[in-house]
Amino acid sequence: MKVAHFFYFSIAARHRSFRRAAIDLNITQPTLSKRIRELEDQFDVLLFERRAGGARLTPPGEKFVQSADRILAELEFMKQSAQAAKRGDLGRIDVGFYTSLSAGALRDTLVAFANQHAEAELNIIEETRAALIPLLDRGAIDIAVVLGEPGYRDYAHMSLWSERIMVVLPETHRLAERDVVYWTDLRNERFVISHRDPGPEINDVLLNKLAAPGDRPLIKHINAHHSVTIGAVRGERGITLACESSFAPLPGVVFRELRDGNGPTRLGFVAYWRRNNDNPTLKQFLALLRAHPAVPHLVSSASMS
């Protein structure tokens, strides 16, 4: 007994004629008759009354065709579901990150994935870098998107977009009237920087731009969320730095682009995933990342190895 037996029977029932059904199926009429006879023998029931003018379903045949059509529909659904899962349209992906999702290319990609793969489960995990890499290592997440240069060589990786670094100032600050602020404008300022991600990367940029022999910027480090540092700025206890995706109109503070002589200061993002991760949904997500207009088009195979 094969699926083809039910399919041939269903087509014959639809045409009420073995001859027309055989033409539709592109097989010979004797072959079709044989398959239906095998089906009748298997279930020990007469499904058709054979007549010179065609074939008419018997009462048991009328019931049988309803069951056969349900079986064929279920099998087609199973096939489509399996193919969708293979493509990654079904399934699940766990995405780890630690930067803001209020704006930016990562948010764009997550929204696009959710829209294009509505049947897939998208799980978003916000954690520190120190937590994300162990989660990635033990398979608790499929991919981690972090700031900085590629550094975890045990994983496959892809260099992504970059974001501008913004200085966050109290709205009463002397530089708040400017559209653009230069690093040299920030000498002698007091900074409030979080120990939490992405604070360490931002702190490194700050030291690289303003530290000099015998002269280091005044930095107050706090172990708090980005919103707390913004609150400190609003209270005029210092200024802070943030990624572009963190920008949002907030009372009491302003965000201004930071530049040096070469233009805006930027921080790059990198995606990491396990080399042996064969999750089809991950492949779909990677394709969306790769296609984002903010990602450099000249992505070499070496950068994704």
Side-chain angles (χ1 to χ4, degrees):
M1 186 64 56
K2 298 180 180 179
V3 175
H5 286 79
F6 294 100
F7 184 63
Y8 290 166
F9 167 70
S10 179
I11 297 298
R14 186 184 312 159
H15 284 287
R16 304 293 204 229
S17 165
F18 285 8
R19 181 182 63 81
R20 290 195 297 272
I23 293 172
D24 189 5
L25 292 165
N26 197 28
I27 60 175
T28 64
Q29 184 173 334
T31 298
L32 175 62
S33 297
K34 180 180 179 183
R35 294 294 175 262
I36 291 176
R37 179 62 68 186
E38 289 170 349
L39 194 64
E40 291 176 323
D41 290 344
Q42 178 70 33
F43 288 92
D44 191 25
V45 63
L46 183 65
L47 299 173
F48 285 99
E49 292 180 6
R50 280 77 167 172
R51 298 180 175 183
R56 188 175 71 177
L57 285 168
T58 63
E62 294 282 0
K63 294 289 186 182
F64 197 89
V65 74
Q66 296 175 20
S67 298
D69 286 344
R70 282 197 299 270
I71 291 170
L72 292 171
E74 283 293 327
L75 289 171
E76 180 62 22
F77 176 77
M78 291 168 61
K79 176 184 174 182
Q80 295 297 331
S81 296
Q83 290 177 343
K86 182 178 180 181
R87 293 192 305 268
D89 294 333
L90 296 177
R92 169 180 171 140
I93 182 170
D94 297 279
V95 180
F97 73 103
Y98 57 71
T99 53
S100 174
L101 282 183
S102 59
L106 179 56
R107 179 184 179 279
D108 293 346
T109 303
L110 293 170
V111 170
F113 182 87
N115 289 336
Q116 294 180 27
H117 305 278
E119 298 300 318
E121 182 180 352
L122 174 61
N123 191 29
I124 303 172
I125 298 96
E126 183 179 4
E127 275 290 0
T128 64
R129 179 195 290 261
L132 285 176
I133 299 305
L135 288 174
L136 188 65
D137 195 47
R138 66 173 183 263
I141 59 175
D142 293 288
I143 188 169
V145 178
V146 301
L147 277 169
E149 296 298 319
Y152 298 99
R153 301 298 178 179
D154 292 337
Y155 302 96
H157 68 273
M158 184 195 314
S159 294
L160 301 174
W161 49 81
S162 63
E163 287 191 7
R164 295 177 298 164
I165 299 297
M166 313 290 284
V167 59
V168 188
L169 306 164
E171 62 183 7
T172 56
H173 195 279
R174 61 184 176 84
L175 299 173
E177 296 295 325
R178 299 190 186 181
D179 293 329
V180 172
V181 174
Y182 287 86
W183 284 100
T184 51
D185 298 324
L186 300 182
R187 294 193 184 279
N188 303 318
E189 291 286 347
R190 176 185 177 89
F191 294 88
V192 182
I193 302 293
S194 174
H195 279 303
R196 299 189 184 183
D197 297 315
E201 286 88 356
I202 289 176
N203 187 76
D204 290 344
V205 173
L206 174 58
L207 291 176
N208 181 59
K209 295 294 185 180
L210 293 183
D215 183 17
R216 292 175 63 86
L218 181 59
I219 304 174
K220 171 67 174 177
H221 290 102
I222 60 174
N223 186 24
H225 189 267
H226 174 69
S227 61
V228 178
T229 64
I230 297 295
V233 173
R234 186 182 294 113
E236 300 187 4
R237 287 178 289 177
I239 65 175
T240 193
L241 306 178
C243 292
E244 182 179 0
S245 60
S246 299
F247 170 73
L250 295 170
V253 300
V254 296
F255 288 71
R256 296 292 181 259
E257 180 185 279
L258 262 176
R259 292 186 182 181
D260 58 18
N262 297 316
T265 303
R266 308 186 75 91
L267 268 176
F269 283 74
V270 182
Y272 294 97
W273 65 96
R274 297 190 321 280
R275 299 179 192 278
N276 63 349
N277 189 335
D278 58 357
N279 180 356
T281 310
L282 170 62
K283 292 181 172 62
Q284 294 284 6
F285 188 75
L286 289 173
L288 269 180
L289 283 177
R290 228 171 261 127
H292 195 282
V295 174
H297 290 160
L298 297 178
V299 179
S300 67
S301 58
S303 69
M304 294 184 286
S305 60

